[in-house]
Amino acid sequence: MKMNQTRLAQAALSAILLATPAAWADTNVPLADAQKAYAEVDYESTRRLAKAALERGGNDRASTAELYLLWATAAAALDQADEARTAFLYVLSINPDAKLERSLSPKIRAPYLEARGSLSQADGKAPLNLTLQSRVQGLEVALTDSANIVARIELATRAQQNEPFARRHLRATPHQRVAIINASELQFFLQALDHYGNVLFELGNQDDPERVALVGAGPRPTAAAAQATDVNRTPYYITAGAFAVLGITAGGIATAQYLRREDAAKDWNGSDCEQPGLTREQQCANVGTRRQRAETLAIGFAAGGGALLLGSVVSLLLAPSSPATPSVAVDAGPGNVMLRWRTTL
C-alpha cells in the first residue's frame, strides 16, 4: 500500500513539472515546503501548506500556478472533489496548457477534466487574458476571465524610464477606462490578482514593461499658455465686434434713408406736384432729386451693413479655437477606481 502511494505521489509530482514551464520555477520557502510535503505523500500537509502560501499572498505567476496545482492534486487525493475542481480552474486559467499524466488515479483526473471542460471555448480564446489599448486622453483595460477568479487588476504606469511606477488598483470588470494625462507615451505593466493578491496573469513586468503611445495626449496647457492663447484670439474678437457695430450702424442709416425715400415718394405723388401747365419734373424737381438720393443711400448702406456683419462672422470663425480642457481626478483603492471628470472651457 505504501509503495502504491509513493508511486502515485511521484506520478503526480511529475504532472506538476509538466504543467509548469521550467522558466516559471520558483524557490520561495512556502512553495518548497508544500512540494516537500507532496513528495512525502503527506496530502493533508500539502493541502494545508499550499493554501497557507496562497493566503499569504504576493506570489508571482509561476509560484501561484504551482501552489494551486499542489492544492488541487492533494485535495483530489483526499476525495475533496469540489475543492480540487475549483483549484484546477485556477491552474488552467493561469496555464491553459497544463496537463496531468494519464496514469494518475481517476479521482485526481476527474476534477481536472471537469475544470478543463468548463473552461473550453469554441473560439479557442484563452480563459484568462488582459489587454490595454490607448484611447483619447486615457487607456482602456479589457479583462477576459471565464472562471471569474480575478479579484482585482493592478495597473502600473510611468512616463519616464527613471520615474517610479504609479500603481492603480482597478476593478475586475470586462472593460474600464483609466484617465492618463501629461504624457504622450507610457511604460506600463498589468497584473490580474486573486483575492489574496497572488498574480494570475501579467502583461509586462517591472523589469521589462510594455509601452503604449497615448492617442491625442499631450501636456496640459499651463496658465501662461492659456493666457497667450486668449491674447492671440483678442484681435479677432475686436475685429468681429467692430464689424458688427459698424454693420448695425449702417443698417440703421439705411433704414432712415429708406424712410426719407418713402416721404419723398409721397410728395412726388401728391397734389403739389400735379399743378396744370407744367410737368411733374418741372414742378417738383427737388423732390425727385431728394427721393433718388435717399434710395441710393438706403441701398448702399444696406449692402455695406450686410458686408460688415458677414465680416464679423468670418472673424469669429477664423479665431483660434479654445478646446475644452478635461480635468480628471482619480480615487483609487483596493478593488475600486473612481474617475471624476470636470470640463473647463
Side-chain angles (χ1 to χ4, degrees), residues 133-157:
Q133 292 182 322
S134 177
R135 296 289 185 257
V136 176
Q137 292 293 346
L139 304 171
E140 181 178 74
V141 178
L143 169 68
T144 300
D145 182 14
S146 301
N148 295 318
I149 62 174
V150 178
R152 70 176 188 272
I153 299 169
E154 184 170 284
L155 170 63
T157 60

mmCIF file of all heavy atoms in Angstrom, residues 133-157:
data_model
loop_
_atom_site.group_PDB
_atom_site.id
_atom_site.type_symbol
_atom_site.label_atom_id
_atom_site.label_comp_id
_atom_site.label_asym_id
_atom_site.label_seq_id
_atom_site.Cartn_x
_atom_site.Cartn_y
_atom_site.Cartn_z
ATOM 1 N N GLN A 133 -5.360 49.167 -24.324
ATOM 2 C CA GLN A 133 -5.348 49.931 -25.560
ATOM 3 C C GLN A 133 -5.440 51.408 -25.246
ATOM 4 O O GLN A 133 -6.063 51.821 -24.263
ATOM 5 C CB GLN A 133 -6.506 49.520 -26.474
ATOM 6 C CG GLN A 133 -6.381 48.116 -27.029
ATOM 7 C CD GLN A 133 -7.521 47.780 -27.976
ATOM 8 O OE1 GLN A 133 -8.663 48.165 -27.748
ATOM 9 N NE2 GLN A 133 -7.211 47.070 -29.042
ATOM 10 N N SER A 134 -4.818 52.202 -26.111
ATOM 11 C CA SER A 134 -4.841 53.648 -25.933
ATOM 12 C C SER A 134 -6.127 54.219 -26.509
ATOM 13 O O SER A 134 -6.581 53.836 -27.574
ATOM 14 C CB SER A 134 -3.634 54.279 -26.638
ATOM 15 O OG SER A 134 -3.672 55.682 -26.528
ATOM 16 N N ARG A 135 -6.711 55.126 -25.760
ATOM 17 C CA ARG A 135 -7.885 55.872 -26.195
ATOM 18 C C ARG A 135 -7.610 57.358 -25.988
ATOM 19 O O ARG A 135 -6.599 57.729 -25.420
ATOM 20 C CB ARG A 135 -9.124 55.450 -25.402
ATOM 21 C CG ARG A 135 -9.533 53.991 -25.633
ATOM 22 C CD ARG A 135 -10.114 53.802 -27.017
ATOM 23 N NE ARG A 135 -10.610 52.446 -27.215
ATOM 24 C CZ ARG A 135 -9.965 51.516 -27.900
ATOM 25 N NH1 ARG A 135 -8.781 51.798 -28.447
ATOM 26 N NH2 ARG A 135 -10.475 50.313 -28.057
ATOM 27 N N VAL A 136 -8.509 58.212 -26.470
ATOM 28 C CA VAL A 136 -8.306 59.657 -26.328
ATOM 29 C C VAL A 136 -8.217 60.009 -24.841
ATOM 30 O O VAL A 136 -9.117 59.713 -24.061
ATOM 31 C CB VAL A 136 -9.455 60.430 -26.997
ATOM 32 C CG1 VAL A 136 -9.300 61.932 -26.760
ATOM 33 C CG2 VAL A 136 -9.471 60.146 -28.496
ATOM 34 N N GLN A 137 -7.109 60.641 -24.473
ATOM 35 C CA GLN A 137 -6.846 61.076 -23.093
ATOM 36 C C GLN A 137 -6.983 59.938 -22.084
ATOM 37 O O GLN A 137 -7.443 60.138 -20.961
ATOM 38 C CB GLN A 137 -7.790 62.223 -22.702
ATOM 39 C CG GLN A 137 -7.539 63.515 -23.445
ATOM 40 C CD GLN A 137 -6.207 64.145 -23.084
ATOM 41 O OE1 GLN A 137 -5.584 63.755 -22.105
ATOM 42 N NE2 GLN A 137 -5.775 65.119 -23.862
ATOM 43 N N GLY A 138 -6.574 58.709 -22.442
ATOM 44 C CA GLY A 138 -6.631 57.651 -21.452
ATOM 45 C C GLY A 138 -6.348 56.281 -22.025
ATOM 46 O O GLY A 138 -5.899 56.129 -23.152
ATOM 47 N N LEU A 139 -6.629 55.281 -21.200
ATOM 48 C CA LEU A 139 -6.375 53.891 -21.552
ATOM 49 C C LEU A 139 -7.635 53.078 -21.325
ATOM 50 O O LEU A 139 -8.449 53.410 -20.455
ATOM 51 C CB LEU A 139 -5.245 53.318 -20.687
ATOM 52 C CG LEU A 139 -3.912 54.058 -20.693
ATOM 53 C CD1 LEU A 139 -2.999 53.491 -19.615
ATOM 54 C CD2 LEU A 139 -3.242 53.970 -22.060
ATOM 55 N N GLU A 140 -7.780 52.021 -22.090
ATOM 56 C CA GLU A 140 -8.884 51.090 -21.882
ATOM 57 C C GLU A 140 -8.297 49.723 -21.531
ATOM 58 O O GLU A 140 -7.505 49.168 -22.290
ATOM 59 C CB GLU A 140 -9.765 50.980 -23.121
ATOM 60 C CG GLU A 140 -10.941 50.018 -22.917
ATOM 61 C CD GLU A 140 -11.835 49.938 -24.131
ATOM 62 O OE1 GLU A 140 -11.410 49.299 -25.122
ATOM 63 O OE2 GLU A 140 -12.934 50.507 -24.103
ATOM 64 N N VAL A 141 -8.712 49.201 -20.377
ATOM 65 C CA VAL A 141 -8.254 47.901 -19.903
ATOM 66 C C VAL A 141 -9.388 46.903 -20.104
ATOM 67 O O VAL A 141 -10.519 47.131 -19.662
ATOM 68 C CB VAL A 141 -7.852 47.957 -18.420
ATOM 69 C CG1 VAL A 141 -7.424 46.581 -17.930
ATOM 70 C CG2 VAL A 141 -6.718 48.960 -18.221
ATOM 71 N N ALA A 142 -9.087 45.790 -20.795
ATOM 72 C CA ALA A 142 -10.088 44.747 -21.050
ATOM 73 C C ALA A 142 -9.648 43.456 -20.381
ATOM 74 O O ALA A 142 -8.486 43.057 -20.476
ATOM 75 C CB ALA A 142 -10.269 44.539 -22.555
ATOM 76 N N LEU A 143 -10.581 42.811 -19.712
ATOM 77 C CA LEU A 143 -10.309 41.569 -18.980
ATOM 78 C C LEU A 143 -11.185 40.441 -19.516
ATOM 79 O O LEU A 143 -12.397 40.610 -19.660
ATOM 80 C CB LEU A 143 -10.588 41.763 -17.488
ATOM 81 C CG LEU A 143 -10.606 40.496 -16.618
ATOM 82 C CD1 LEU A 143 -9.213 39.883 -16.527
ATOM 83 C CD2 LEU A 143 -11.155 40.811 -15.229
ATOM 84 N N THR A 144 -10.561 39.303 -19.808
ATOM 85 C CA THR A 144 -11.280 38.059 -20.079
ATOM 86 C C THR A 144 -11.036 37.129 -18.896
ATOM 87 O O THR A 144 -9.890 36.836 -18.561
ATOM 88 C CB THR A 144 -10.783 37.391 -21.372
ATOM 89 O OG1 THR A 144 -10.993 38.283 -22.479
ATOM 90 C CG2 THR A 144 -11.516 36.099 -21.632
ATOM 91 N N ASP A 145 -12.101 36.689 -18.254
ATOM 92 C CA ASP A 145 -11.977 35.855 -17.051
ATOM 93 C C ASP A 145 -13.122 34.844 -17.041
ATOM 94 O O ASP A 145 -14.149 35.046 -16.397
ATOM 95 C CB ASP A 145 -12.018 36.741 -15.800
ATOM 96 C CG ASP A 145 -11.851 35.952 -14.508
ATOM 97 O OD1 ASP A 145 -11.442 34.779 -14.587
ATOM 98 O OD2 ASP A 145 -12.144 36.512 -13.428
ATOM 99 N N SER A 146 -12.946 33.751 -17.771
ATOM 100 C CA SER A 146 -14.015 32.762 -17.928
ATOM 101 C C SER A 146 -14.400 32.104 -16.609
ATOM 102 O O SER A 146 -15.549 31.721 -16.413
ATOM 103 C CB SER A 146 -13.587 31.690 -18.935
ATOM 104 O OG SER A 146 -13.297 32.266 -20.194
ATOM 105 N N ALA A 147 -13.460 31.932 -15.703
ATOM 106 C CA ALA A 147 -13.726 31.245 -14.431
ATOM 107 C C ALA A 147 -14.077 32.204 -13.299
ATOM 108 O O ALA A 147 -14.333 31.762 -12.175
ATOM 109 C CB ALA A 147 -12.514 30.405 -14.035
ATOM 110 N N ASN A 148 -14.079 33.501 -13.569
ATOM 111 C CA ASN A 148 -14.374 34.508 -12.541
ATOM 112 C C ASN A 148 -13.468 34.355 -11.313
ATOM 113 O O ASN A 148 -13.928 34.324 -10.168
ATOM 114 C CB ASN A 148 -15.840 34.425 -12.110
ATOM 115 C CG ASN A 148 -16.786 34.782 -13.221
ATOM 116 O OD1 ASN A 148 -16.556 35.733 -13.974
ATOM 117 N ND2 ASN A 148 -17.854 34.020 -13.359
ATOM 118 N N ILE A 149 -12.176 34.258 -11.564
ATOM 119 C CA ILE A 149 -11.235 34.069 -10.463
ATOM 120 C C ILE A 149 -10.460 35.341 -10.132
ATOM 121 O O ILE A 149 -9.771 35.395 -9.111
ATOM 122 C CB ILE A 149 -10.227 32.944 -10.796
ATOM 123 C CG1 ILE A 149 -9.400 33.301 -12.025
ATOM 124 C CG2 ILE A 149 -10.949 31.626 -10.990
ATOM 125 C CD1 ILE A 149 -8.282 32.324 -12.331
ATOM 126 N N VAL A 150 -10.561 36.362 -10.956
ATOM 127 C CA VAL A 150 -9.800 37.597 -10.736
ATOM 128 C C VAL A 150 -10.545 38.485 -9.752
ATOM 129 O O VAL A 150 -11.731 38.770 -9.933
ATOM 130 C CB VAL A 150 -9.566 38.355 -12.062
ATOM 131 C CG1 VAL A 150 -8.810 39.661 -11.812
ATOM 132 C CG2 VAL A 150 -8.787 37.473 -13.042
ATOM 133 N N ALA A 151 -9.854 38.906 -8.707
ATOM 134 C CA ALA A 151 -10.452 39.777 -7.701
ATOM 135 C C ALA A 151 -10.200 41.246 -8.008
ATOM 136 O O ALA A 151 -11.064 42.099 -7.777
ATOM 137 C CB ALA A 151 -9.903 39.453 -6.315
ATOM 138 N N ARG A 152 -9.040 41.565 -8.541
ATOM 139 C CA ARG A 152 -8.734 42.952 -8.898
ATOM 140 C C ARG A 152 -7.595 42.968 -9.913
ATOM 141 O O ARG A 152 -6.912 41.962 -10.128
ATOM 142 C CB ARG A 152 -8.377 43.779 -7.668
ATOM 143 C CG ARG A 152 -7.053 43.451 -7.013
ATOM 144 C CD ARG A 152 -6.771 44.416 -5.860
ATOM 145 N NE ARG A 152 -5.438 44.266 -5.310
ATOM 146 C CZ ARG A 152 -5.112 43.428 -4.338
ATOM 147 N NH1 ARG A 152 -6.039 42.656 -3.804
ATOM 148 N NH2 ARG A 152 -3.867 43.372 -3.888
ATOM 149 N N ILE A 153 -7.437 44.119 -10.518
ATOM 150 C CA ILE A 153 -6.384 44.330 -11.514
ATOM 151 C C ILE A 153 -5.472 45.444 -11.018
ATOM 152 O O ILE A 153 -5.947 46.440 -10.466
ATOM 153 C CB ILE A 153 -6.988 44.722 -12.874
ATOM 154 C CG1 ILE A 153 -7.894 43.607 -13.403
ATOM 155 C CG2 ILE A 153 -5.896 45.038 -13.892
ATOM 156 C CD1 ILE A 153 -8.721 44.029 -14.595
ATOM 157 N N GLU A 154 -4.182 45.248 -11.195
ATOM 158 C CA GLU A 154 -3.231 46.301 -10.824
ATOM 159 C C GLU A 154 -2.561 46.820 -12.083
ATOM 160 O O GLU A 154 -2.007 46.050 -12.875
ATOM 161 C CB GLU A 154 -2.184 45.778 -9.851
ATOM 162 C CG GLU A 154 -1.231 46.882 -9.380
ATOM 163 C CD GLU A 154 -0.331 46.444 -8.235
ATOM 164 O OE1 GLU A 154 -0.817 46.366 -7.088
ATOM 165 O OE2 GLU A 154 0.839 46.162 -8.511
ATOM 166 N N LEU A 155 -2.654 48.133 -12.276
ATOM 167 C CA LEU A 155 -2.026 48.804 -13.413
ATOM 168 C C LEU A 155 -0.924 49.711 -12.886
ATOM 169 O O LEU A 155 -1.161 50.533 -12.005
ATOM 170 C CB LEU A 155 -3.057 49.627 -14.189
ATOM 171 C CG LEU A 155 -2.509 50.579 -15.254
ATOM 172 C CD1 LEU A 155 -1.808 49.813 -16.363
ATOM 173 C CD2 LEU A 155 -3.620 51.451 -15.821
ATOM 174 N N ALA A 156 0.280 49.547 -13.410
ATOM 175 C CA ALA A 156 1.417 50.388 -13.027
ATOM 176 C C ALA A 156 1.891 51.134 -14.269
ATOM 177 O O ALA A 156 2.092 50.530 -15.328
ATOM 178 C CB ALA A 156 2.544 49.549 -12.442
ATOM 179 N N THR A 157 2.049 52.446 -14.154
ATOM 180 C CA THR A 157 2.449 53.273 -15.299
ATOM 181 C C THR A 157 3.522 54.272 -14.889
ATOM 182 O O THR A 157 3.621 54.668 -13.718
ATOM 183 C CB THR A 157 1.250 54.063 -15.862
ATOM 184 O OG1 THR A 157 0.713 54.923 -14.837
ATOM 185 C CG2 THR A 157 0.159 53.127 -16.352
#
